Amino acid sequence: MQTVAACFDICQYPQVTTAPAPACCTPSAESLPGLDEDAATAAAAVLKALADPVRLRLYSRIAGAPEPVCVCDIDDVGVSQPTVSHHLRKLREAGLIDCERRGTWVYYWPVPDATAAARGIL
């Protein structure tokens, strides 16, 4: 069995050695688990939407509420109302929240299992 140093030298500097690449240099798909392309795209969309501090605060308030949250009840997130609307739209586009208009107000709630893709990699 080769040492880690020998594998490192052969794998990092193949032009220096004439020895064939050992098994440690050619990882198999089973030895390197990871996300497939669709799962990575879904997780990236969720993580990108939650990467903004204002969106993260909005999402945590909506997800932590026992019932749908009226947009009129969302205050004190440090930005103006048009900016809040922009961030809520981004959260909706990412599939994290959904909404319904009731008269002149819009109510928001979290989409069940919307963060499952991101939780899988965390």
Side-chain angles (χ1 to χ4, degrees), residues 6-33:
C7 285
F8 178 80
D9 288 342
I10 293 170
C11 294
Q12 289 294 86
Y13 307 104
Q15 67 277 12
V16 176
T17 181
T18 58
C24 64
C25 293
T26 53
S28 65
E30 296 83 31
S31 67
L32 295 174

Side-chain angles (χ1 to χ4, degrees), residues 76-94:
D76 191 34
V77 289
V79 294
S80 65
Q81 193 282 322
T83 306
V84 169
S85 295
H86 164 76
H87 288 300
L88 289 170
R89 181 179 52 112
K90 291 294 187 181
L91 290 171
R92 276 194 334 268
E93 289 172 354

Side-chain angles (χ1 to χ4, degrees), residues 5 10 22 24 26 31 35 46-47 65 77 86 96 98 100 112 115 120-121:
I10 293 170
C24 64
T26 53
S31 67
L35 299 174
V46 169
L47 293 172
V77 289
H86 164 76
L96 290 167
D98 205 355
E100 175 184 66
T115 58
I121 62 168

Side-chain angles (χ1 to χ4, degrees), residues 60-69 108-110:
S60 69
R61 287 185 183 182
I62 293 168
E67 55 189 36
V69 177
Y108 294 90
W109 61 88

